[in-house]
């Protein structure tokens, strides 16, 4: 049966690792640098305009947000690397992300978001290394592809695949604005959660 993400709902927001709910469903987690377009992509994927809050300015409070659709939990992890917060707050974000992944949960798929316009940033590299080391199943969603021509986008895809040492098969070119790559992501989610 095809994945039906039309009845997505917000479940809850958690500020500490200890408060995260017991896993009862397959989970798809979203990670990426602050401002990469994570909320926009989640909203597009779940077919809701404002389920996840899109920020005009980056640096929202660090929380883990759970959404649910078609029996799958969508886990929005805090955007990392926002410069204008204290070292203590940044540490709290990192602890939330690594704390989530250190729990005994059903990690069906991680969607790691990377801005298609830039070279691989060191925080992106750290995240991808972390996913590989922990043998977590992941795809890289290259965001904001509408900002590049199609040929430039595939050049960047090849460059980022090399820099991040990720198989291009594991990358999906996306645009939340245009809807590019959304069906492909849905397919990957369905495969991972079957
Ligand atoms: P988050 O901090 O990762 O959740 O990122 P947001 O979804 O809040 O988006 C950050 C900024 O990038 C906002 O100004 C969005 O409007 C913009 N943005 C997000 N996705 C896209 C996209 O696909 N195309 C374009 N052109 N802009 C985008």
């Amino acid at each position: 049966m095809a994945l039906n993400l039309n009845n997505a709902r917000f479940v809850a927001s958690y500020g500490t690792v200890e408060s995260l709910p017991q896993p009862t469903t397959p989970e798809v987690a979203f990670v990426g640098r602050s401002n990469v377009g994570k909320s926009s992509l989640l909203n597009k994927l779940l077919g809701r305009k404002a389920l996840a809050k899109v920020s005009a300015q980056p640096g929202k409070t660090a929380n883990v947000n759970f959404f649910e659709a078609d029996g799958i939990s969508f886990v929005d992890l805090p955007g990392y690397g926002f410069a204008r917060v204290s070292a203590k707050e940044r540490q709290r974000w990192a602890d939330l992300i690594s704390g989530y992944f250190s729990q005994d949960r059903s990690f069906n798929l991680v969607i790691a978001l990377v801005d298609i316009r830039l070279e691989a940033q060191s925080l992106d590299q750290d995240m991808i290394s972390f996913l590989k080391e922990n043998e977590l199943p992941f795809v890289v969603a290259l965001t904001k592809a509408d900002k590049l021509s199609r040929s430039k986008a595939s050049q960047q895809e090849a460059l980022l695949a090399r820099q991040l040492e990720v198989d291009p098969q594991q990358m999906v070119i996306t645009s939340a604005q245009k809807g590019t790559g959304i069906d492909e992501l849905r397919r990957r989610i369905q495969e991972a959660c079957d």
Side-chain angles (χ1 to χ4, degrees), residues 99-125:
Y100 167 78
F101 284 117
S102 66
Q103 291 187 341
D104 183 15
R105 312 188 69 91
S106 176
F107 301 114
N108 290 69
L109 188 64
V110 180
I111 300 188
L113 288 83
V114 173
D115 193 320
I116 196 166
R117 296 168 298 170
L118 309 174
E119 302 227 340
Q121 309 287 296
S122 61
L123 285 167
D124 296 331
Q125 265 162 342

Side-chain angles (χ1 to χ4, degrees), residues 35-40 54-55 60 144 146-147 175-177:
N35 216 33
V36 72
K38 186 156 55 62
S39 311
S40 304
V54 174
S55 57
K60 298 157 274 202
K144 310 191 188 181
D146 57 278
K147 296 208 177 192
S175 160
Q177 199 170 83

Side-chain angles (χ1 to χ4, degrees), residues 96-162:
L96 269 175
I97 298 171
S98 59
Y100 167 78
F101 284 117
S102 66
Q103 291 187 341
D104 183 15
R105 312 188 69 91
S106 176
F107 301 114
N108 290 69
L109 188 64
V110 180
I111 300 188
L113 288 83
V114 173
D115 193 320
I116 196 166
R117 296 168 298 170
L118 309 174
E119 302 227 340
Q121 309 287 296
S122 61
L123 285 167
D124 296 331
Q125 265 162 342
D126 291 349
M127 177 50 70
I128 301 294
S129 303
F130 174 86
L131 296 173
K132 287 185 194 161
E133 277 160 25
N134 290 283
E135 295 178 7
L136 291 155
F138 72 92
V139 294
V140 175
L142 299 172
T143 63
K144 310 191 188 181
D146 57 278
K147 296 208 177 192
L148 299 180
S149 69
R150 209 180 274 209
S151 64
K152 184 70 187 165
S154 40
Q155 265 177 40
Q156 280 297 110
E157 180 183 36
L159 174 74
L160 286 162
R162 267 202 316 280

